[in-house]
Amino acid sequence: MALFGEFAVNIILIGFMGSGKTVVAKSLSKLMSLPWIEMDDLVYKHTNTKNMHEVFAKGGELLLRETEIAIVKKYASKAGLIISTGGGVVLNKIILDYFKKHNGKVVFLRASFETILKHLQNDTQRPLFQDQAEAKRLFDFRMPLYLSYADKIVDVDHKSPDEVASAIEAWIQS
Ligand code: S3P
């Protein structure tokens, strides 16, 4: 169980698409022996889809955002989870407020746009990362949101997922 002071917490990873939330969650899950859940996978389960293109084809971005809200209500009250979120969860204040209200410790994986471009150069899975200029606009728009929700910021440029996971573990244990 992840303890923060005397409370069992959930560790919530936020950050832009391609910042490494999934790989870091995997590594952190191993390091801390905690279960890990991926919000995008739960979105597919809840919407009976297989990928994000199907979600958008079925109900557009609205279906994604509504499903994310339904998921947070279901999972936030559990304890001792690592949750890797979709990059857009910061768009609905209710999601991060809900996580925090239920002992969620929010870690912002801060990547530069250059790092994100490197990670996503061959990606075809993200409907909101089709056009680089539009993605940069989203990145700039969301940056203050990620910062405002972060209990902890971890810079991820030039770091391996294991190094980022160790930094998060050290913070949780401190
Ligand atoms: C999105 C991020 C994606 C996924 C969807 C929309 C966003 O998750 O939820 O494509 O709006 O930033 P990742 O951050 O895991 O790529």
Side-chain angles (χ1 to χ4, degrees), residues 47 49 53-66:
T47 55
T49 55
H53 290 296
E54 282 188 21
V55 176
F56 274 61
K58 201 165 187 175
E61 188 175 350
L62 186 62
L63 176 61
L64 166 62
R65 303 306 171 206
E66 284 179 349

Side-chain angles (χ1 to χ4, degrees), residues 15-18 21 38 40 52 64-65 68 85-88 126-128 142:
F16 201 68
M17 292 173 266
K21 298 179 296 285
E38 167 89 25
D40 282 352
M52 212 36 87
L64 166 62
R65 303 306 171 206
E68 286 176 329
T85 61
R126 291 171 172 83
L128 298 179
R142 289 180 185 175

